[in-house]
């Protein structure tokens, strides 16, 4: 599988996670708001625990997402820097007069690499949020009130 196919598979995986998140998040919000309404002004200990969990897991998911994106961005930066060191200098020739402007095979490879890097950074940020939302949707849909 070449780099372009790997990138395409990662983009499809990212789209799949985004779709699942777009379905799970509203479901979790509806279930929790309904639970708050049923609890009223005197929530049970179980409801209080769920409400506390609701707030704390958002903070944890934010930090996991931010850290994942930051780590992946740094990794991608160093991969790109290493790639630039191995890319032959582009010199205009009779076969490719536009090489001086960065148009050629090396540029195509670098563009593919950058698309892959952006996809990996987005995936690193979405993964923790997606995991928590989908897990909560499953857990809350089967829990008794």
């Amino acid at each position: 599988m070449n780099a372009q196919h790997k990138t395409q598979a990662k983009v499809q995986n990212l789209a799949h996670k985004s779709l699942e998140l777009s379905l799970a998040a509203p479901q979790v919000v509806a279930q929790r708001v309904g639970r708050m309404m049923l609890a009223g002004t005197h929530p049970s200990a179980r409801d209080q625990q769920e409400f506390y969990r609701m707030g704390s897991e958002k903070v944890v998911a934010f930090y996991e997402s931010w850290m994942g994106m930051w780590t992946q961005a740094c990794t991608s930066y160093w991969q790109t820097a290493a790639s630039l060191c191995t890319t032959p200098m582009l010199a205009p020739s009779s076969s490719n007069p536009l090489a001086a402007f960065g148009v050629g095979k090396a540029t195509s490879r670098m563009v593919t690499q950058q698309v892959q890097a952006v996809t990996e950074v987005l995936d690193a940020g979405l993964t923790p949020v997606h995991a928590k939302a989908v897990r909560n949707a499953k857990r809350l849909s089967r829990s008794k009130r």
Side-chain angles (χ1 to χ4, degrees):
M1 186 182 277
N2 65 16
Q4 191 171 8
H5 290 286
K6 285 181 185 178
T7 302
Q8 191 173 20
K10 288 181 181 185
V11 168
Q12 288 175 347
N13 183 37
L14 183 62
H16 181 77
K17 282 183 185 178
S18 298
L19 178 63
E20 282 184 341
L21 181 61
S22 72
L23 297 172
Q27 181 182 355
V28 170
V29 169
Q31 289 169 342
R32 284 182 165 165
V33 169
R35 190 168 184 164
M36 284 182 206
M37 291 175 64
L38 289 173
T41 57
H42 301 292
S44 67
R46 186 168 177 248
D47 286 333
Q48 288 178 9
Q49 182 182 13
E50 180 64 29
F51 301 154
Y52 174 77
R53 180 180 187 167
M54 181 176 25
S56 64
E57 74 183 5
K58 284 174 180 46
V59 173
V60 170
F62 169 79
Y63 281 112
E64 286 175 355
S65 177
W66 184 82
M67 224 22 215
M69 291 177 77
W70 184 81
T71 303
Q72 186 58 51
C74 289
T75 301
S76 296
Y77 169 79
W78 287 110
Q79 288 172 347
T80 300
S83 173
L84 287 174
C85 291
T86 60
T87 301
M89 297 308 277
L90 301 173
S93 65
S94 59
S95 63
N96 187 5
L98 298 177
F101 300 105
V103 179
K105 288 182 181 180
T107 301
S108 174
R109 187 181 74 205
M110 290 180 71
V111 167
T112 301
Q113 185 179 14
Q114 290 304 304
V115 169
Q116 184 176 358
V118 169
T119 303
E120 288 172 354
V121 168
L122 291 174
D123 186 56
L126 189 64
T127 297
V129 176
H130 167 267
K132 285 193 181 4
V134 170
R135 191 170 45 243
N136 280 336
K138 288 177 184 176
R139 180 179 60 81
L140 291 171
S141 67
R142 68 176 180 259
S143 70
K144 295 182 177 113
R145 302 216 188 273

